[in-house]
Amino acid sequence: MRARLSDIAQQAEVSEATVSRVLNDRPGVAPETRQAVLTALDVLGYERPARLRKRSAGLVGLVVPELDNPIFPAFAQVIESTLAQSGFTPVLCTQTPGGVTEDEYVEMLLDRQVSGIVFVSGLHADTAANHDRYRALIARPLPVVMINGYVPGIAAPFVSCDDREATELAVAHLVALGHRRIGLITGPDRFVPVQRRVAGWRAAMGRLAGLPEAELAELAELTLFGVEGGEAAAGRLLERGVTGVVCGSDLMALGAIRAARQRGLSVPGDLSVVGYDDSPLMAFTDPPLTTMRQPVAAMAVAAVRALVDEINGHAAPHSEYLFRPELVVRGSTAVVRQPAARQPAAALARSAG
């Protein structure tokens, strides 16, 4: 027991005497200190004394694909705080390339006897993945909720941003500014959100920009998510004469801006760029990024409420809840420059050489 007290004290950053007072439910401990000890108890996998179990509803797993993209920490922050308000202790599981996989994290969470799991942009969003893993969890039964990526036939609540509407709104914004050759930069097409963005872009380009289907193939670039993927894709699209691009993430949009500048072009003078997410700090980039905002707070709260309902035996509807994106106009988009005033990238390259 001595070693156990020491472990808990170290995790909670308090004295062993304080841990003892909390475990014995004695007075004289500040509420925040008491909560820190109880959280340490949960995180280390120790069972709470019976007299204290009423103070916590248990652990809930939160599985996110990465933390490099600032949109995922934004989701994690709201989900964790909302879970804590409902009496649950969140356990954050972050995947990294070559690191612990989603399935391995799930096994760890099951060993900790979690009450439920929230998956953010996980394998459920990948149409090439085997989704029986989620059916097995539900059959245990274990409540799960999934954010951004809908899988028909899985009896769980899904919370998504309307990706199709997002690209349609982005194209409409650029068309209103006079753009017609509008490129799309997004991730691999095996992902459900990507498929929806492509569908929305195609529909809007035909309806609003008046481009025939035959011309659209060369204006869509499906590449790796991230700055590097956006930069490479934008370089190819600039050679095909686009004046605006709609990107599948803010990081991709930053890559597109870098590609334009490396060719001596200005944003938004020569190229208008629209991002996706409105992740933190996008208002402070150069130029401030026009982007499609995911309603992160509303989506995260809805996901937690659905999960808590499931845990409490009040089954939430097993369907997809679509949240409307919002166009946030900043400095990376502008009225298209007239052809006579716009010098082609190839000419700029020759003059620079």
Side-chain angles (χ1 to χ4, degrees), residues 19-26 34 49 51-52:
V19 173
S20 178
R21 295 183 72 86
V22 172
L23 295 181
N24 289 291
D25 203 19
R26 292 175 181 164
R34 183 180 297 275
R51 68 177 72 89
L52 299 179

Side-chain angles (χ1 to χ4, degrees), residues 86-107:
S86 300
F88 291 92
T89 302
V91 180
L92 178 63
C93 301
T94 307
Q95 300 172 69
T96 54
V100 180
T101 66
E102 179 178 306
D103 289 335
E104 290 169 335
Y105 270 130
V106 168
E107 287 302 316

Side-chain angles (χ1 to χ4, degrees), residues 148-170:
N148 283 338
Y150 177 60
V151 184
I154 290 185
F158 290 82
V159 174
S160 304
C161 186
D162 193 335
D163 295 288
R164 180 180 177 118
E165 183 177 10
T167 46
E168 289 184 351
L169 288 171

Side-chain angles (χ1 to χ4, degrees), residues 4 25 39 48 56 67 73 94 120 153 175 187 208 244 260 303 315 318 325 333:
R4 190 169 160 183
D25 203 19
T39 300
R48 294 187 180 197
S56 172
L67 293 180
T94 307
V120 181
V175 168
L208 302 175
H318 296 157
T333 52

Side-chain angles (χ1 to χ4, degrees), residues 5-352:
L5 281 178
S6 174
D7 292 341
I8 298 168
Q10 183 176 4
Q11 178 72 28
E13 299 182 346
V14 298
S15 68
E16 291 183 30
T18 298
V19 173
S20 178
R21 295 183 72 86
V22 172
L23 295 181
N24 289 291
D25 203 19
R26 292 175 181 164
V29 180
E32 58 270 20
T33 303
R34 183 180 297 275
Q35 185 58 50
V37 172
L38 294 177
T39 300
L41 206 66
D42 293 336
V43 169
L44 293 173
Y46 294 131
E47 186 175 349
R48 294 187 180 197
R51 68 177 72 89
L52 299 179
R53 287 175 196 167
K54 64 182 183 297
R55 297 179 183 271
S56 172
L59 299 175
V60 167
L62 171 56
V63 182
V64 298
E66 58 169 308
L67 293 180
D68 290 339
N69 186 334
I71 196 63
F72 295 122
F75 267 113
Q77 183 176 20
V78 180
I79 291 170
E80 289 182 335
S81 63
T82 309
L83 281 170
Q85 291 168 16
S86 300
F88 291 92
T89 302
V91 180
L92 178 63
C93 301
T94 307
Q95 300 172 69
T96 54
V100 180
T101 66
E102 179 178 306
D103 289 335
E104 290 169 335
Y105 270 130
V106 168
E107 287 302 316
M108 294 179 192
L109 292 170
L110 293 177
D111 288 342
R112 296 292 178 93
Q113 299 181 328
V114 294
S115 300
I117 304 177
V118 179
F119 294 92
V120 181
S121 300
L123 290 173
H124 63 279
D126 189 344
T127 59
N130 185 346
H131 296 137
D132 286 343
R133 52 174 49 88
Y134 303 112
R135 296 183 180 93
L137 287 176
I138 294 167
R140 289 181 69 94
L142 182 75
V144 298
V145 173
M146 294 169 221
I147 296 177
N148 283 338
Y150 177 60
V151 184
I154 290 185
F158 290 82
V159 174
S160 304
C161 186
D162 193 335
D163 295 288
R164 180 180 177 118
E165 183 177 10
T167 46
E168 289 184 351
L169 288 171
V171 169
H173 169 63
L174 292 176
V175 168
L177 294 173
H179 297 272
R180 290 298 179 269
R181 288 188 65 80
I182 301 167
L184 175 69
I185 300 173
T186 190
D189 64 359
R190 70 178 191 270
F191 295 108
V192 172
V194 170
Q195 294 173 358
R196 292 176 171 181
R197 288 170 199 162
V198 171
W201 172 79
R202 284 184 175 277
M205 289 295 289
R207 187 177 72 254
L208 302 175
L211 263 65
E213 186 71 22
E215 289 188 34
L216 295 182
E218 69 171 6
L219 298 181
E221 283 286 337
L222 306 186
T223 182
L224 298 175
F225 282 112
V227 174
E228 293 77 14
E231 180 180 356
R236 293 188 289 269
L237 289 176
L238 284 167
E239 293 172 359
R240 299 168 197 159
V242 301
T243 62
V245 290
V246 174
C247 300
S249 74
D250 290 338
L251 295 185
M252 287 181 136
L254 296 181
I257 293 172
R258 187 160 71 181
R261 286 181 171 162
Q262 286 178 344
R263 287 160 177 76
L265 303 175
S266 71
V267 176
D270 298 295
L271 180 71
S272 285
V273 179
V274 182
Y276 185 94
D277 285 333
D278 194 29
S279 46
L281 303 182
M282 289 306 109
F284 307 101
T285 58
D286 181 22
L289 187 66
T290 295
T291 186
M292 299 305 306
R293 174 182 293 161
Q294 283 201 73
V296 171
M299 292 171 65
V301 169
V304 171
R305 285 178 177 170
L307 186 73
V308 172
D309 284 346
E310 292 270 321
I311 292 171
N312 292 333
H314 309 297
H318 296 157
S319 57
E320 183 179 30
Y321 300 87
L322 280 177
F323 285 75
R324 184 186 175 101
E326 178 188 353
L327 173 67
V328 180
V329 179
R330 298 193 180 106
S332 65
T333 52
V335 173
V336 68
R337 187 172 290 180
Q338 294 303 313
R342 186 175 186 269
Q343 193 174 2
L348 280 170
R350 286 195 299 271
S351 64

